[in-house]
Amino acid sequence: MNKKDKIAIIGLGYVGLPLAVAFAEKYNVIGLDISQSRIEELLNGYDRTFEVSKEELGSVKQNLNFTNTVKEIADCNIYIVTVPTPIDESNRPDLTPLIKSSETVGQVLKKGDIVIYESTVYPGVTEEVCVPVLEKSSGLGFNKDFFAGYSPERINPGDKEHTVKNILKVTSGSTPEVAKKVDSLYRSIIDAGTHLASSIKVAEASKVIENTQRDVNIALINELALIFDAMDIDTNEVIEAAATKWNFLKFTPGLVGGHCIGVDPYYLTFKAEELGYKPNLILGARQINNGMGKYIVEQIIKQMIKNDKKIKDSNVLIMGVTFKENCPDTRNTKVVDIVHELQEYNIQVDAYDPWVDTEIERKSFPYPLLKHNPFKADKKYDAIIVAVAHNEFKLLRRTAYENISTEPAILMDIKGIVENPTWRL
């Protein structure tokens, strides 16, 4: 790679920011984000996602700048798009962020430039959706004036072990020569190495099936948990026993949310159905995982009735609202499903999460969150649901929950971290 290459990262979230910092160790990088507040925070050395520390930002500040002004990325020759790819209310792909980002890049695209996409999509989106937008916005010709690449993100929010530099990276390009250049670019910063795919579509497909496979595997365990619960068998004990065999895949039951596993399968099923194939297994897995919140609330109601507790106007505390442990990300969290189902019974719900502590993060969660620690208040709860396995919650003993519970204490454990719960998924 030419060390004079200047890289623009479009989107500075959980994926874009760590990538920008990694590239800035060797290249001049400018990060573009539409949020002015996000830019100001980063310029002050603060990352609200906690993916990058103030020290890490400071160590590359000579090569890394941030902006929300398009003209400031005009002198770059490599553009990497890392924006979200959500779904709409009908579970159909929403490509709006990708299209708008492509329009933005197209405004400053020049001859010889390369645009690389990292967002998870169904096979064909880069060349059939994004490239035409680039051509229209720039007036340039694809694979004649500018080129494209695809290298799917593999960031795992909150994971300090599997970081961007030590996860092997799949790469691809729109021509053999560009593919090699894209691969060399990533290989220069990824310690774990790269895998050069034969085409952009192969790389796109490889990403979307990663999370689809996990979704199906978790759905199987969730269905087994429903069966074993009916049999009055502890699912976690069954899994521990089965996992003694070397080729058993050890998954655990739970809520499946977040920006990847709960979303990406819909991108693949959308394209499959468009081509006339109905992916029953994948859609069935989605149905099972989407139904877990309702099932959990049904078990809470049963336990409350069994213990002679009133349902209407009762008080329930939910511990944790992020989509996974030890990170502040509330995108597509399925804890929302539990809150909604409880409120259908006219139950008063409090939610507490020490990882969600800024006003911006609170606004992304559709229900009010406690600003205080419930264990330091006087309020008593008729049931408590431990929904996320934050490290802070793993340290809590059962007596702590009993101190803020009405008698008898009803303690529902979704994550398998509570001693002697009333009910465990």
Side-chain angles (χ1 to χ4, degrees):
M1 289 299 299
N2 183 352
K3 297 301 181 182
K4 293 183 180 178
D5 286 330
K6 187 170 183 181
I7 301 170
I9 307 293
I10 316 301
L12 297 172
Y14 285 85
V15 175
L17 181 62
L19 189 68
V21 171
F23 272 119
E25 293 178 6
K26 295 187 177 182
Y27 303 91
N28 287 320
V29 178
I30 184 162
L32 175 72
D33 198 279
I34 60 175
S35 171
Q36 178 61 33
S37 61
R38 176 67 166 158
I39 296 300
E40 291 173 357
E41 287 176 355
L42 293 175
L43 289 173
N44 289 324
Y46 173 68
D47 170 29
R48 83 170 86 100
T49 69
F50 303 128
E51 292 299 309
V52 176
S53 67
K54 187 171 186 176
E55 291 72 25
E56 288 172 313
L57 284 171
S59 68
V60 295
K61 65 179 181 180
Q62 207 167 12
N63 294 334
L64 178 60
N65 200 6
F66 303 106
T67 185
N68 65 346
T69 305
V70 178
K71 66 178 182 180
E72 292 191 30
I73 64 171
D75 61 341
C76 296
N77 65 310
I78 296 174
Y79 299 88
I80 302 178
V81 179
T82 64
V83 297
T85 43
I87 52 176
D88 63 19
E89 292 181 356
S90 300
N91 293 327
R92 294 168 62 87
D94 180 1
L95 298 177
T96 303
L98 267 184
I99 292 171
K100 288 187 176 297
S101 297
S102 298
E103 290 173 343
T104 297
V105 172
Q107 295 175 31
V108 294
L109 202 59
K110 307 172 296 301
K111 287 189 175 184
D113 288 353
I114 300 175
V115 185
I116 304 169
Y117 291 88
E118 291 214 358
S119 307
T120 304
V121 294
Y122 57 79
V125 167
T126 298
E127 293 160 294
E128 297 166 12
V129 177
C130 298
V131 164
V133 174
L134 291 170
E135 287 184 310
K136 183 178 179 180
S137 297
S138 67
L140 300 176
F142 178 49
N143 281 342
K144 182 179 71 173
D145 299 319
F146 74 92
F147 306 89
Y150 183 80
S151 181
E153 57 91 0
R154 281 180 166 173
I155 292 291
N156 188 25
D159 190 336
K160 301 307 179 184
E161 179 182 352
H162 301 99
T163 58
V164 64
K165 292 172 67 175
N166 56 27
I167 302 175
L168 193 142
K169 202 85 159 65
V170 174
T171 65
S172 64
S174 56
T175 69
E177 295 77 15
V178 168
K180 289 179 181 178
K181 184 167 184 178
V182 171
D183 190 69
S184 297
L185 174 69
Y186 281 100
R187 199 174 341 115
S188 69
I189 65 161
I190 304 295
D191 297 334
T194 59
H195 174 90
L196 178 56
S198 62
S199 69
I200 287 177
K201 284 187 178 180
V202 167
E204 290 171 325
S206 74
K207 172 56 181 176
V208 76
I209 71 166
E210 288 177 18
N211 290 324
T212 300
Q213 182 187 66
R214 284 183 56 79
D215 193 43
V216 170
N217 282 330
I218 296 171
L220 171 61
I221 297 297
N222 275 338
E223 188 163 57
L224 291 174
L226 303 186
I227 295 170
F228 293 142
D229 191 37
M231 296 179 176
D232 198 25
I233 299 173
D234 190 315
T235 303
N236 289 281
E237 291 184 10
V238 174
I239 293 170
E240 289 298 326
T244 58
K245 189 180 180 185
W246 74 92
N247 60 353
F248 179 82
L249 301 178
K250 189 178 180 181
F251 288 84
T252 54
L255 301 170
V256 183
H259 63 294
C260 289
I261 301 178
V263 173
D264 296 351
Y266 288 120
Y267 274 72
L268 187 57
T269 57
F270 167 80
K271 189 63 177 178
E273 290 183 319
E274 191 176 65
L275 296 171
Y277 177 78
K278 187 172 180 62
N280 293 311
L281 176 62
I282 300 172
L283 289 172
R286 283 278 74 234
Q287 185 177 14
I288 291 170
N289 289 337
N290 281 339
M292 293 307 291
K294 182 178 178 64
Y295 177 78
I296 289 166
V297 171
E298 288 173 352
Q299 303 313 306
I300 296 168
I301 299 301
K302 286 181 181 180
Q303 291 296 330
M304 292 178 71
I305 293 173
K306 183 179 178 180
N307 287 278
D308 296 323
K309 293 196 176 186
K310 67 173 185 176
I311 305 301
K312 185 179 179 181
D313 295 326
S314 60
N315 292 295
V316 172
L317 173 65
I318 298 179
M319 299 289 289
V321 300
T322 60
F323 88 88
K324 64 176 293 187
E325 65 276 4
N326 303 323
C327 84
D329 196 346
T330 61
R331 290 176 297 172
N332 194 36
T333 172
K334 291 304 176 181
V335 177
V336 170
D337 294 353
I338 295 177
V339 176
H340 176 72
E341 289 293 333
L342 288 170
Q343 291 183 332
E344 288 291 306
Y345 290 92
N346 290 319
I347 291 174
Q348 305 301 312
V349 181
D350 284 344
Y352 172 66
D353 196 315
W355 280 82
V356 183
D357 60 359
T358 71
E359 288 304 314
I360 293 176
E361 290 159 353
R362 288 179 182 278
K363 288 176 182 176
S364 68
F365 190 73
Y367 299 102
L369 299 177
L370 291 177
K371 293 185 178 181
H372 62 271
N373 187 331
F375 297 95
K376 297 181 179 179
D378 296 327
K379 187 171 182 178
K380 300 285 186 178
Y381 294 94
D382 300 297
I384 300 174
I385 310 164
V386 180
V388 185
H390 291 317
N391 286 341
E392 293 91 333
F393 297 165
K394 290 180 180 179
L395 297 174
L396 292 171
R397 309 296 294 177
R398 181 180 172 87
T399 52
Y401 293 109
E402 290 174 344
N403 289 336
I404 59 170
S405 297
T406 59
E407 290 293 335
I410 295 179
L411 187 53
M412 313 294 287
D413 182 16
I414 297 175
K415 300 300 294 184
I417 64 171
V418 178
E419 58 178 337
N420 300 318
T422 309
W423 178 87
R424 175 176 286 147
L425 181 61

